[in-house]
Amino acid sequence: MEGWTVRGCSLRDVAAILSITRASDIASVGEPDWTEEEVVATLTAPHLDPAVDAWLAFGPDGTALAWAYVDNPERGERDNVEVYAVPTAGRPAFGPLLDLALARIAERGRRIVRAGVVPSETAYVEALTARGFVFRKRHARMTRVLTGDERPPAPGFGVRAVREEELPRFHEVLQTAFADTPDFVATSYPDWLAALAALPSVSRDEWLVAEADGAIVGVLQSADQGVERGEGWVKNLAVLRGHRGAGIGGALLRAAFAIYAAKGRTTAGLGVDLTNPTGAYHLYTSVGMTVAFAADMYERTG
């Protein structure tokens, strides 16, 4: 990259990073998917030092054209790498930024690294495969238009907002329900709380529980990442195995949609692993969600 410069990041770079990610999103999925809040949350996430775990690449004229970072907020066995580039102009940075990220991941002591990519980003796919990454699985970004007529489910499902003293049980249900899904990484309660504390904001009134026989058996965790674009975001939906198929997941989703709509949100969104054995994709389509775009997960070991 003759004439280019690369350096670590700080919160002073949020505007430049947002410009890069939005240009990349518009080219690959048709609309901007990142918000300023999400960039800040990424740069301040646990176990990420933006000065050494994130990089900005500037073209010969000094314009910021690409951004990359590595993260692993839950300290799992895998690190994640993300690279975003302004279409065409930022393309030469894919390879060099991946090389920096892989070197840093080795320093962090991780052997397994994953990268998400929209299938149409062929230049990025080429850079990944040239460095030993192989396709692992596909995720879908799903969405649903909110009309304002959304209503919560019938009272029989026991759906309500979580109480502060119930957070340990909320975490327990998340961990237990996801334990039988591919690539599950257990997270301790203290680490989970630390990750939440690092977020710019948490709308706890959008965190829901569902009860059966007086016990919490299903939970829905929302995130504030879509607020700037008028979107309610379902970060996690979990129902204990013995209670699946009884309508609890749908009830939690409908309750969340009603809350989002009451706050003036115009869409609801979430991400789903299409290899999830719990039937999550079919649940989401049953409540009116459709696929906005797909993203592929690539992995490298060693």
Side-chain angles (χ1 to χ4, degrees), residues 28-86:
S28 60
V29 301
E31 61 182 3
D33 194 48
W34 278 77
T35 66
E36 181 178 340
E37 185 177 62
E38 289 174 287
V39 175
V40 172
T42 297
L43 294 178
T44 58
H47 320 308
L48 186 150
D49 179 350
V52 294
D53 295 324
W55 304 267
L56 266 177
F58 299 83
D61 66 353
T63 302
L65 295 175
W67 174 55
Y69 67 92
V70 298
D71 73 345
N72 190 346
E74 297 171 343
R75 287 187 182 271
E77 65 176 5
R78 299 182 300 269
D79 271 357
N80 306 299
V81 58
E82 298 284 352
V83 183
Y84 291 85
V86 173

Side-chain angles (χ1 to χ4, degrees), residues 73-126:
E74 297 171 343
R75 287 187 182 271
E77 65 176 5
R78 299 182 300 269
D79 271 357
N80 306 299
V81 58
E82 298 284 352
V83 183
Y84 291 85
V86 173
T88 307
R91 186 175 300 172
F94 278 134
L97 287 179
L98 276 173
D99 291 338
L100 284 172
L102 291 172
R104 176 58 180 153
I105 288 167
E107 291 176 359
R108 288 159 59 106
R110 296 297 190 273
R111 295 185 60 254
I112 305 174
V113 56
R114 285 191 173 177
V117 56
V118 175
S120 61
E121 296 177 307
T122 55
Y124 188 27
V125 172
E126 291 172 2

Side-chain angles (χ1 to χ4, degrees), residues 261-286:
K263 291 186 174 185
R265 315 272 176 79
T266 56
T267 59
L270 53 78
V272 59
D273 177 354
L274 296 179
T275 62
N276 188 320
T278 64
Y281 174 78
H282 298 293
L283 168 63
Y284 301 146
T285 57
S286 74

Side-chain angles (χ1 to χ4, degrees), residues 229-294:
R229 55 177 175 265
E231 180 180 53
W233 185 258
V234 179
K235 179 177 176 62
N236 287 309
L237 175 68
V239 178
L240 295 179
R241 177 185 288 273
H243 297 272
R244 294 171 187 165
I248 292 173
L252 285 164
L253 286 166
R254 288 191 293 274
F257 295 163
I259 293 171
Y260 300 156
K263 291 186 174 185
R265 315 272 176 79
T266 56
T267 59
L270 53 78
V272 59
D273 177 354
L274 296 179
T275 62
N276 188 320
T278 64
Y281 174 78
H282 298 293
L283 168 63
Y284 301 146
T285 57
S286 74
V287 295
M289 305 197 80
T290 58
V291 174
F293 62 85

